[in-house]
Amino acid sequence: MSVKRIMSKKAPAAIGCYSQASLSEGLIITSGQLPLNVETGSLQGSTIEEQTTQSLKNVQVILEDNQSSLDSILKTTVYLSDMSDFKGMNDAYSNFFTEGNYPARTAFQVAALPMNALVEIEVIAKIESEEN
């Protein structure tokens, strides 16, 4: 089983010693994506809706630059700095998926997130091919 480290220049660079994503056995596993603006490196937005939108845009470009898409996500994990933000996160999150085609998801509260972000999102997606 080979593992390839992958990335997108359209998503923020890693802020530590990790890869944006890894590819193996037809699956892309992303690192948690903070709501960082790729051009400024700073948090994008101050609300949970804005930050969720930016985190998912970062996920989206990583997938699209590596032969996948949001429709090919099998599972998302959402880390929230405050569980009371769940509804706002869910409202923004639902804009990225078609009803009836939502991936499996786990969401939970953590003590803190890097850069004091409100949300961080990681995914497992499959590589798209004409065979699927």
Side-chain angles (χ1 to χ4, degrees):
M1 171 171 73
S2 66
V3 176
K4 180 180 177 184
R5 307 301 175 206
I6 57 176
M7 62 167 289
S8 169
K9 291 183 179 183
K10 297 174 191 166
I15 59 173
C17 51
Y18 59 90
S19 302
Q20 283 180 346
S22 297
L23 168 64
S24 183
E25 302 293 315
L27 295 177
I28 294 174
I29 302 169
T30 70
S31 294
Q33 295 302 302
L34 293 169
L36 296 177
N37 179 304
V38 69
E39 294 173 8
T40 66
S42 60
L43 289 177
Q44 180 73 37
S46 59
T47 68
I48 189 62
E49 293 85 0
E50 292 168 325
Q51 289 195 13
T52 299
T53 296
Q54 186 62 48
S55 288
L56 284 169
K57 284 180 178 179
N58 293 342
V59 166
Q60 185 174 24
V61 296
I62 293 169
L63 296 179
E64 289 176 353
D65 282 0
N66 290 283
Q67 302 172 333
S68 190
S69 73
L70 295 176
D71 289 336
S72 293
I73 294 175
L74 303 170
K75 169 109 174 34
T76 62
T77 304
V78 178
Y79 304 93
L80 296 165
S81 63
D82 187 340
M83 192 53 84
S84 67
D85 284 336
F86 182 85
K87 182 185 180 321
M89 176 280 297
N90 197 58
D91 290 346
Y93 180 98
S94 68
N95 293 324
F96 285 82
F97 302 97
T98 55
E99 191 164 339
N101 193 32
Y102 299 122
R105 180 179 74 190
T106 302
F108 54 92
Q109 180 173 318
V110 295
L113 290 168
M115 301 178 71
N116 293 315
L118 302 176
V119 65
E120 183 174 13
I121 301 173
E122 65 183 28
V123 307
I124 300 172
K126 64 185 180 90
I127 294 290
E128 295 177 344
S129 70
E130 294 179 19
E131 300 168 6
N132 294 338

